[in-house]
């Protein structure tokens, strides 16, 4: 019995009759959902259009308001690095992943450093635990938890016992940091309490947004409610940062009537320099008219940083006649020496400091460093 095969002609659909597909948006190959709410659909169209224009700019995260002058104040200047007297540190690492370290520090001839300090640190990719105990029973501890890839929750506790230097005290702070693709937001509360008939404490909120690939603008608000029947106090500051090819400039307008600007530039691959100008205009609002009227004060600081093969040298000078320098040198892979010097021509005083740091690590840990990648805790 013969079989008859009938070929059907192919149906040709003109391409011009098909709706255009947006392949840049996920799910664009699927048919669009049926729209029923005009107001909600208009809002979605506006939101998607704004997100598409925002992504087309190629913006990156600009950092935080607290670190808006990081290149100058933390990388070049001697901020929180100078010391006086003799200091010896012994660091011991027990593990790389998770990170576990302890440190013993001994100091002599210094009025700011305690004779003995013990520090312990434990960190993973999502957690950080750090505690420090001094010989005068001063305790500081912090715990950071990375909830998501963008959100970090930070807790810090400081306890200072009473002594001849002061009555002592305690401080508790909570901070939430959110890092977006092109912005950063932070909310911090210091000593919050509801035991005095309402919410008391200090609350600080900041936001920094990248406007262009080089320019970022932000603001910071401070709300303080001391309690005891006193009314709240609020202040608002503004910040801006511009990043060039080999330089960075930042400007902050402080709520107390101040202006702070910084400029950082990389001269060569191993030389960086920075300038910081801080102007204070106290009493211009009339609040201090009974104390002698408005006053003006300003400080300009110039610093430089040199990086060598096994050492780093920093130096700075300011308009108040203060000169400082800091030299860090690696004598051997486990031994580091630090020399600090500061001279104040106005007060006719000088400070010198010498520190030796020794890193004690076993052979097993050295082998682990070659095989395991150390995690980056949420500092």
């Amino acid at each position: 019995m013969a079989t008859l095969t009938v070929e059907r002609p192919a149906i040709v659909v003109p391409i011009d009759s098909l709706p255009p597909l947006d392949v840049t948006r996920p799910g664009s190959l699927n048919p669009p959902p049926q729209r029923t709410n005009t107001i909600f659909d208009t809002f979605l169209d506006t939101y998607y259009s704004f997100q598409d224009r925002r992504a087309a700019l190629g913006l990156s995260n600009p950092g935080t308001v607290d670190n808006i002058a990081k290149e100058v104040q933390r990388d070049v200047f001697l901020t929180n690095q100078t010391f006086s007297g003799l200091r010896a540190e012994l660091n011991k690492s027990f593990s790389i992943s998770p990170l576990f370290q302890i440190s013993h520090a001994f100091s002599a001839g210094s009025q700011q450093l305690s004779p003995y300090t013990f520090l312990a640190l434990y960190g993973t990719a999502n957690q950080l635990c750090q505690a420090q105990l001094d010989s005068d029973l001063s305790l500081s501890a912090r715990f950071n938890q990375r909830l998501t890839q963008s959100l970090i929750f930070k807790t810090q506790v400081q306890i200072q016992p009473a002594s001849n230097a002061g009555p002592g005290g305690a401080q508790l702070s909570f901070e939430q940091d959110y890092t977006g693709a092109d912005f950063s937001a932070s909310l911090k509360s210091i000593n919050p309490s509801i035991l005095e008939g309402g919410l008391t404490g200090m609350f600080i909120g900041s936001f920094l947004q990248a406007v262009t690939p080089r320019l970022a603008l932000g603001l910071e608000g401070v709300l303080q409610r001391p309690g005891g029947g006193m009314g709240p106090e609020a202040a608002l500051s503004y910040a801006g940062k511009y990043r060039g090819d080999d330089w960075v400039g930042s400007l902050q307008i402080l709520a107390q009537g101040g202006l702070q600007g910084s400029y950082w530039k990389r001269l060569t691959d191993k030389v960086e320099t920075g300038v910081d100008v801080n102007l204070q205009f106290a009493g211009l609002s009339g609040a201090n008219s009974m104390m002698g009227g408005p006053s003006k004060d300003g400080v300009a600081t110039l610093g430089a940083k040199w990086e060598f093969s096994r050492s780093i040298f920093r130096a700075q000078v300011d308009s108040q006649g203060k000169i400082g320098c800091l030299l860090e040198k690696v004598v051997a892979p486990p031994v580091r020496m630090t020399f600090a010097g500061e001279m104040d021509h106005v007060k006719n005083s000088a400070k010198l400091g010498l520190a030796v740091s020794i890193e004690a690590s076993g052979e097993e840990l050295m082998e682990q460093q070659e095989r395991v990648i150390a995690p980056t805790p949420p500092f």
Side-chain angles (χ1 to χ4, degrees):
M1 182 176 182
T3 303
L4 180 62
T5 303
V6 179
E7 295 183 357
R8 298 181 180 181
I11 301 176
V12 179
V13 179
I15 298 180
D16 297 339
S17 63
L18 295 177
L21 295 178
D22 186 5
V23 298
T24 61
R25 184 172 300 153
S28 59
L29 299 179
N30 299 327
Q34 193 72 22
R35 298 192 172 189
T36 57
N37 193 322
T38 305
I39 299 178
F40 185 70
D41 295 341
T42 303
F43 173 77
L44 285 180
D45 292 339
T46 304
Y47 174 77
Y48 287 139
S49 177
F50 175 76
Q51 290 296 101
D52 293 341
R53 293 176 180 270
R54 185 175 176 182
L57 294 176
L59 303 178
S60 59
N61 186 272
T64 61
V65 176
D66 291 339
N67 297 328
I68 197 168
K70 170 182 173 295
E71 293 81 3
V72 175
Q73 297 179 358
R74 298 191 181 183
D75 294 345
V76 176
F77 287 176
L78 311 181
T79 307
N80 299 329
Q81 297 189 37
T82 58
F83 61 95
S84 61
L86 301 177
R87 182 176 176 86
E89 295 182 3
L90 178 61
N91 304 318
K92 174 70 174 179
S93 299
F94 295 92
S95 176
I96 297 298
S97 181
L99 183 63
F100 181 46
Q101 298 176 349
I102 65 172
S103 174
H104 303 272
F106 306 88
S107 63
S110 176
Q111 298 180 354
Q112 293 138 1
L113 302 177
S114 299
Y116 172 74
T117 301
F118 174 78
L119 185 141
L121 184 145
Y122 175 84
T124 63
N126 297 322
Q127 293 179 348
L128 172 67
C129 301
Q130 182 178 351
Q132 177 177 317
L133 180 63
D134 298 337
S135 57
D136 58 356
L137 300 182
S138 299
L139 175 65
S140 62
R142 60 174 176 165
F143 174 76
N144 300 350
Q145 175 68 43
R146 192 192 305 273
L147 301 180
T148 64
Q149 193 65 25
S150 302
L151 182 61
I152 299 178
F153 183 81
K154 302 179 181 180
T155 305
Q156 186 172 0
V157 179
Q158 293 181 351
I159 300 176
Q160 181 73 32
S163 62
N164 297 330
Q171 178 177 300
L172 176 64
S173 64
F174 302 97
E175 184 175 1
Q176 298 83 36
D177 293 342
Y178 187 87
T179 304
D182 56 2
F183 73 94
S184 296
S186 174
L187 179 61
K188 185 176 183 179
S189 56
I190 302 176
N191 287 340
S193 176
I194 57 174
L195 302 179
E196 299 185 21
L199 183 62
T200 60
M202 180 181 293
F203 307 92
I204 305 173
S206 63
F207 180 83
L208 188 63
Q209 171 70 54
V211 182
T212 67
R214 296 182 180 269
L215 178 64
L217 300 175
L219 52 85
E220 182 179 61
V222 180
L223 176 62
Q224 184 174 3
R225 298 179 62 91
M230 300 178 61
E233 300 178 0
L236 188 63
S237 304
Y238 304 92
K241 184 175 183 178
Y242 188 88
R243 183 180 298 274
D245 295 334
D246 58 353
W247 62 274
V248 177
S250 63
L251 180 65
Q252 290 181 276
I253 303 177
L254 307 179
Q256 299 83 0
L259 185 68
Q260 184 172 4
S262 64
Y263 176 80
W264 173 89
K265 182 176 178 59
R266 180 180 293 277
L267 301 180
T268 64
D269 294 339
K270 298 183 178 181
V271 180
E272 305 174 16
T273 183
V275 180
D276 184 85
V277 178
N278 193 338
L279 303 177
Q280 297 291 335
F281 306 98
L284 295 182
S285 61
N288 297 333
S289 59
M290 298 182 62
M291 302 299 294
S295 61
K296 301 179 182 179
D297 189 14
V299 179
T301 306
L302 172 65
K305 174 185 175 182
W306 289 266
E307 294 185 7
F308 303 97
S309 58
R310 303 184 67 177
S311 61
I312 298 176
F313 179 74
R314 294 180 175 90
Q316 73 179 41
V317 57
D318 60 23
S319 59
Q320 294 182 342
K322 186 181 295 185
I323 301 176
C325 66
L326 184 76
L327 175 62
E328 296 177 297
K329 181 175 180 56
V330 178
V331 180
V335 181
R336 177 187 295 270
M337 296 189 64
T338 305
F339 171 80
E342 184 180 276
M343 180 179 297
D344 194 334
H345 290 82
V346 176
K347 299 180 180 180
N348 195 19
S349 62
K351 298 179 181 179
L352 294 176
L354 179 63
V356 179
S357 177
I358 301 176
E359 181 72 29
S361 301
E363 296 181 358
E364 296 180 357
L365 187 63
M366 300 297 292
E367 296 177 357
Q368 187 179 3
Q369 290 179 351
E370 300 177 357
R371 294 182 287 102
V372 180
I373 299 177
T376 303
F379 287 101

